[in-house]
Amino acid sequence: SGMNPDEDLPEEVRDRAYHAQPVWKRILVIAAGPAVNLVLAFVLLFAFFALIGPQTGSSKVGAVEQSYPAQGVLRPGDRLVAVDGHRGEPIELSKLIARHKCPQKPPEKGCKAAEPVQVTVVRNGRERTFSITPVYDPVAKRTRLGFAYAPGAREQLRLGEAFSTTADRFWFISKSTLELPARLIDPEQRREISGVVGSYEVTRQTILNQVEDVVGILAIISLSLAIVNLFPFL
């Protein structure tokens, strides 16, 4: 009580109300909420990495998108092993696919790459190579074949590794949240920021599809909320 100096308070409460306290006490009261959110976020992140574990990478094809070149060629369960004869991790293979660019500048949605990609997969224990021409996706800002990798198994981290990973993710999320005011000014970056509705939808989809990841989502929300509440504006 007493955060509003004009609040009508009984005489026995007025002298111990918020506005009558010294500055250091008022600072502690305001900081207490965000402080609890910070602690909660760290605990949730640590619990996620130590008890649940992030999903490891997978080179297997998961969903194949309709109306994309991969449809009818790649199948869920195919294991991607090489692109244009080069082998590597999934992220490296995705970069090799994206090197095949559209001839026109700037590229338009759905434009085809100048040359097809030679994709090698393992299907039913045998390697097979397909020639597929990727198309430009303006959302991803690169050419794609139109498939997603299947999620891998979860791997719990050892306590020391879980603590260091938690600290790293804690700092990354904090830094990203602190950059929000600058991103709000930039029209292009502002489109990438989700509000309450967007956050709700991400959380809802996570609960439906990957309930284990809800702990991580709650940690991100708690940490972001703590930092935003410390900004000197509403």
Side-chain angles (χ1 to χ4, degrees):
S1 60
M3 280 197 170
N4 180 1
D6 298 326
E7 189 177 349
D8 186 18
L9 297 172
E11 287 299 327
E12 65 271 16
V13 176
R14 184 173 297 278
D15 291 340
R16 54 189 175 87
Y18 175 83
H19 70 268
Q21 300 303 313
V23 173
W24 69 270
K25 278 191 177 182
R26 283 180 276 163
I27 290 175
L28 285 179
V29 169
I30 296 298
V36 171
N37 278 120
L38 290 172
V39 173
L40 177 63
F42 196 93
V43 170
L44 287 173
L45 281 174
F46 183 77
F48 175 77
F49 288 117
L51 303 178
I52 300 173
Q55 286 183 318
T56 56
S58 168
S59 59
K60 289 187 176 181
V61 175
V64 178
E65 300 176 45
Q66 294 184 354
S67 303
Y68 268 86
Q71 186 181 18
V73 182
L74 300 182
R75 301 176 184 173
D78 287 349
R79 183 164 59 87
L80 195 66
V81 294
V83 170
D84 293 334
H86 299 282
R87 297 176 182 262
E89 296 298 319
I91 190 169
E92 296 170 351
L93 298 180
S94 296
K95 289 179 179 178
L96 289 173
I97 294 172
R99 285 184 182 177
H100 291 253
K101 302 184 183 298
C102 295
Q104 60 261 49
K105 304 285 184 179
E108 298 177 356
K109 180 180 178 179
C111 70
K112 294 184 177 181
E115 297 180 354
V117 177
Q118 304 303 314
V119 179
T120 303
V121 301
V122 174
R123 181 184 296 172
N124 299 326
R126 297 178 57 186
E127 284 195 2
R128 301 184 62 179
T129 300
F130 301 97
S131 181
I132 315 174
T133 303
V135 298
Y136 182 74
D137 183 346
V139 177
K141 296 182 179 179
R142 59 183 174 85
T143 52
R144 299 174 56 230
L145 296 179
F147 72 91
Y149 288 106
R154 292 190 178 274
E155 183 178 328
Q156 296 177 355
L157 305 184
R158 293 190 297 270
L159 291 182
E161 188 180 1
F163 186 87
S164 61
T165 304
T166 297
D168 178 72
R169 294 295 89 191
F170 191 91
W171 168 243
F172 175 78
I173 298 167
S174 300
K175 182 166 66 71
S176 299
T177 307
L178 287 170
E179 293 171 352
L180 272 176
R183 294 178 65 191
L184 287 169
I185 297 171
D186 189 324
E188 290 297 323
Q189 295 191 41
R190 189 164 59 238
R191 296 194 189 100
E192 302 173 3
I193 300 173
S194 291
V196 175
V197 175
S199 299
Y200 165 78
E201 182 59 23
V202 169
T203 306
R204 188 180 73 86
Q205 291 294 334
T206 303
I207 292 172
L208 291 175
N209 300 312
Q210 294 288 342
V211 68
E212 300 92 343
D213 290 335
V214 172
V215 176
I217 293 286
L218 290 176
I220 294 171
I221 292 174
S222 182
L223 180 50
S224 299
L225 187 62
I227 296 171
V228 169
N229 278 337
L230 291 173
F231 282 155
F233 48 82
L234 295 178

